[in-house]
Amino acid sequence: MKLNSFIIEGRPYKEIINFASEHKHDLIIMATHALAGIDRLLLGSVTDKVIRSAPCAVLTLKMDEKEFIE
């Protein structure tokens, strides 16, 4: 399995969409924090914007917050 990583500057949702389009990807996998209410309105959601504009399927995974210090 080959793994590549890229660092691209710009608006995250636009760059994700552009990258997927340019490289003809079939699937985008993204984590979401599942914000709701006023937090979502004020902060927006990169995942939501990608889902609405992606050139391919988008799989979202809910990230659970975990406490690492006990």
Side-chain angles (χ1 to χ4, degrees):
M1 173 184 232
K2 184 177 178 184
L3 177 67
N4 295 312
S5 57
F6 299 87
I7 299 174
I8 302 170
E9 290 185 34
R11 300 202 67 134
Y13 78 95
K14 286 183 179 179
E15 297 304 329
I16 292 167
I17 292 166
N18 290 340
F19 191 87
S21 293
E22 290 171 10
H23 297 281
K24 296 181 173 58
H25 289 288
D26 296 323
L27 177 66
I28 298 170
I29 302 173
M30 298 183 72
T32 179
H33 294 288
L35 296 176
I38 194 73
D39 288 338
R40 187 175 192 168
L41 181 65
L42 294 175
L43 298 175
S45 170
V46 171
T47 304
D48 282 344
K49 291 174 184 173
V50 170
I51 289 169
R52 295 180 202 290
S53 303
C56 59
V58 179
L59 173 65
T60 61
L61 306 170
K62 183 179 179 220
M63 297 296 297
D64 292 328
E65 292 187 28
K66 296 183 180 175
E67 186 68 38
F68 291 106
I69 300 173
E70 295 183 16

